[in-house]
Amino acid sequence: MLKQIVNWLFSQNNSSLQIGLFDVWHFFYLFLIFGGSAFLAVLLGNKSEKAKDRTIKIFAYLTIGLYLADFFIMPLSDSYSGISEYKLPFNICTIMAVMVPFVQFNSHFAKLKPIIVTLSIASSTMWMCYPGTALGGQPPFCYIIFQTFMYHGFLYTWGFLNLAYGRVELHFKNIWKELVAILIILVWASFGNAIYDGVQNWFFIEESIFPFLSDGIMPFMVVFCVFGTCFLVYCGYFAVKAVVEKIKEKKAPLKKA
């Protein structure tokens, strides 16, 4: 009985519903993650710094915890044939799961935290907006869909809250560091693609995922897109920061009066 319940719970055939690109279920997950993280940032805005730090740490634990738990749950799901090699940390999003605990809980890696925060937000946002690896006609709440959206959602929220609560500050003069990190990930993913059997296509650099682009141009396109998204994260950060400072300036005279 228990095995049947577990098999149904993690099956990709547990519902007749299907999720598709930019349909109501896709937008549901986007609203849940983007809206939920913004709501959480506002909700805890007036709370103590200790409460904010605790919340950030919770999402760090959720990110690495869900990533590791996936290796134990995958064999129970009919979406996979055992444990998928593709989930090894050779993609930018899975690499972030490994890096988050280091930069969050070890002060020796503090200098890397702004880079990991930016890449976490950029990579998770790119995947959530175009989740090609999770849109194959599956039910919206089957394991493969729920796990992948929640993992990227936890990763995004961890990075977002670090910026929202001022635990990390961005400076345009340092954005080159994100580019260097992306190139390092490119080399690491190339190493993984070379040593593992089969075409894993980690970091989407072996085979094009777009019919209008050739395989050879994908490494350049990936670097351009990820770095471009990092640039947008920086722009969004400074835009929101400017708005917040304007609001504070307007409130200041009222307090004095």
Side-chain angles (χ1 to χ4, degrees), residues 66-242:
L66 187 59
Y67 175 67
L68 293 176
D70 190 32
F71 288 94
F72 293 89
I73 299 176
M74 272 188 281
L76 301 175
S77 172
D78 55 13
S79 300
Y80 304 95
S81 299
I83 297 177
S84 173
E85 292 179 349
Y86 192 70
K87 294 296 186 81
L88 291 174
F90 290 101
N91 268 323
I92 184 170
C93 292
T94 49
I95 291 171
M96 292 302 103
V98 177
M99 295 304 300
V100 164
F102 285 99
V103 300
Q104 180 62 51
F105 300 110
N106 193 323
S107 59
H108 292 95
F109 294 89
K111 291 183 178 180
L112 294 177
K113 193 172 185 181
I115 303 171
I116 301 305
V117 164
T118 304
L119 290 177
S120 294
I121 296 173
S123 61
S124 58
T125 299
M126 291 177 69
W127 185 91
M128 288 187 290
C129 290
Y130 187 74
T133 56
L135 296 178
Q138 304 95 331
F141 300 107
C142 69
Y143 173 72
I144 187 173
I145 298 297
F146 182 80
Q147 190 276 335
T148 45
F149 269 104
M150 286 300 95
Y151 167 74
H152 289 88
F154 292 152
L155 181 63
Y156 171 86
T157 304
W158 172 80
F160 178 82
L161 293 181
N162 268 287
L163 290 183
Y165 295 153
R167 298 305 182 265
V168 164
E169 292 187 357
L170 302 182
H171 303 279
F172 264 117
K173 65 179 181 180
N174 294 328
I175 196 171
W176 62 270
K177 295 180 181 179
E178 275 81 354
L179 178 59
V180 172
I182 294 168
L183 294 176
I184 292 173
I185 293 171
L186 180 72
V187 173
W188 176 243
S190 299
F191 172 73
N193 287 324
I195 65 172
Y196 280 87
D197 294 332
V199 181
Q200 298 296 336
N201 200 24
W202 279 304
F203 209 24
F204 310 115
I205 57 177
E206 291 292 309
E207 291 184 350
S208 176
I209 59 174
F210 302 106
F212 51 87
L213 291 177
S214 64
D215 295 344
I217 202 173
M218 278 305 293
F220 303 98
M221 183 58 65
V222 167
V223 173
F224 174 80
C225 290
V226 177
F227 184 65
T229 307
C230 290
F231 177 80
L232 293 178
V233 171
Y234 270 69
C235 291
Y237 168 77
F238 284 106
V240 172
K241 190 175 181 179

Side-chain angles (χ1 to χ4, degrees), residues 38-49 51-52 161 164-165:
F39 175 76
L40 187 60
V42 173
L43 182 67
L44 298 178
N46 295 323
K47 298 296 182 180
S48 67
E49 297 303 308
K52 294 175 182 178
L161 293 181
Y165 295 153

